[in-house]
Amino acid sequence: MIVFPNAKINLGLLVTSKRPDGYHNIETIFHPVHQLCDILEVIDNDEKEDVFSTSGLVIDGPASDNLILKALALIRECAPLPPLKIHLHKKIPFGAGLGGGSADASFMLKLLNEQYHLNLSTRTLELMAARLGADCPVFIENKPVLARGIGNEFSPINLSLSHLWLQIVIPPIHVPTAHAYSNISPFQPESSLEDLLSRPIENWKATLKNDFESSVFERYPEIMAIKEHLYNQGALYAAMSGSGSAVFGLFKNKPETEWADNYVIHTEQL
Ligand SMILES: C[C@](O)(CO)[C@H](O)COP(=O)(O)OP(=O)(O)OC[C@H]1O[C@@H](n2ccc(N)nc2=O)[C@H](O)[C@@H]1O
Ligand SMILES: Nc1ncnc2c1ncn2[C@@H]1O[C@H](COP(=O)(O)OP(=O)(O)OP(=O)(O)O)[C@@H](O)[C@H]1O
């Protein structure tokens, strides 16, 4: 079976408090980016052991640390599976706040559930995904949603961005998530994200924020410059995604901006 784990962006990201377990409570809107995706294939393997291979972008760290293999190990805790041949073609830049590794992990859970008729419910899959990372559960249902808690308590939202153009600009900078959280001072805002998003998109620039931006922009002015350039090019709204380094803009018309050669650019109509 082949699946296409996709990226996400965060529309607003409030870090509201630090928890006793060291994690942070957040409030954010997750929005899937369907056309920026990896390719994940899993088939039965005739050999005795699993074989895992990758192509595309070279992921840092040993292959055994890949979240896909951690997802496989979790499923094997509750169901026997044959030896597998797994191939990941990596296209989503990582360390960019686009949740690519998290998407791979959750799509692996969903793929195995379907391919081997495991009948695990959506809720069970979300709980398993939460053991792999805070960003993983949202990729089980993979639709726009308001998230609270550590990013895994979901409420439905009424938000349509269809017909807007999305441009994501990814500079060659990796921002480690744990490091970004350690530089944050949590703050409980007066207005909830839901309130802010219900206002016209023209108001978002003044009201909707990503709490990681100030510390990340201070350390990497190049990322702030991308956001400013997106606004100069006519973005209705622009912001960093997650803990960076990707920055996205929402436009009425297809943006034709030229960017540095070493940036990865993704443009799609929502
Ligand atoms: C910034 C976001 O991308 C927003 O969607 C996510 O909160 C990041 O989620 P993630 O990459 O899946 O994070 P994890 O792999 O679970 O955690 C990495 C590290 O980030 C910190 N972390 C993560 C999520 C969270 N709500 N609070 C945290 O403090 C913790 O130090 C943790 O050790
Ligand atoms: N399948 C995978 N794809 C990408 N990175 C992976 C994968 N499995 C493990 N990793 C590790 O996770 C790190 C970053 O993962 P990810 O792509 O989720 O980060 P991100 O884009 O910053 O997303 P997030 O929004 O979750 O912070 C990589 O540097 C790599 O070491």
Side-chain angles (χ1 to χ4, degrees), residues 125-263:
L125 290 169
E126 283 179 354
L127 290 171
M128 293 174 93
R131 291 172 61 191
L132 298 167
D135 264 351
C136 295
V138 75
F139 291 103
I140 298 294
E141 290 222 274
N142 202 29
K143 59 184 189 194
V145 74
L146 169 66
R148 296 199 179 86
I150 64 165
N152 61 350
E153 294 168 19
F154 304 127
S155 310
I157 44 159
N158 187 7
L159 172 73
S160 173
L161 301 179
S162 56
H163 305 307
L164 289 179
W165 284 86
L166 167 70
Q167 181 160 73
I168 307 179
V169 180
I170 308 141
I173 300 171
H174 287 196
V175 181
T177 305
H179 189 256
Y181 271 105
S182 69
N183 287 327
I184 282 262
S185 302
F187 179 74
Q188 191 69 50
E190 279 169 25
S191 308
S192 75
L193 265 189
E194 224 172 350
D195 290 344
L196 299 175
L197 274 163
S198 63
R199 300 178 198 171
I201 193 168
E202 288 73 18
N203 295 14
W204 292 4
K205 180 177 180 182
T207 54
L208 197 63
K209 63 194 184 87
N210 174 336
D211 282 345
F212 286 107
E213 284 185 356
S214 52
S215 57
V216 173
F217 286 177
E218 196 177 322
R219 175 127 195 245
Y220 306 102
E222 185 181 345
I223 303 179
M224 178 169 70
I226 294 171
K227 178 172 165 174
E228 286 169 356
H229 198 50
L230 284 164
Y231 273 126
N232 291 337
Q233 296 300 310
L236 299 170
Y237 178 66
M240 199 170 74
S241 183
S243 50
S245 59
V247 184
F248 65 90
L250 295 172
F251 294 82
K252 260 200 188 115
N253 300 309
K254 187 175 182 184
E256 306 287 354
T257 317
E258 295 205 355
W259 295 96
D261 286 345
N262 59 346
Y263 287 8

Side-chain angles (χ1 to χ4, degrees), residues 8 10 13 22-24 30 102 133-135 150 177-178 181 212 243:
K8 59 83 178 166
N10 298 87
L13 206 178
Y23 269 68
H24 292 76
F30 283 111
S102 309
D135 264 351
I150 64 165
T177 305
Y181 271 105
F212 286 107
S243 50

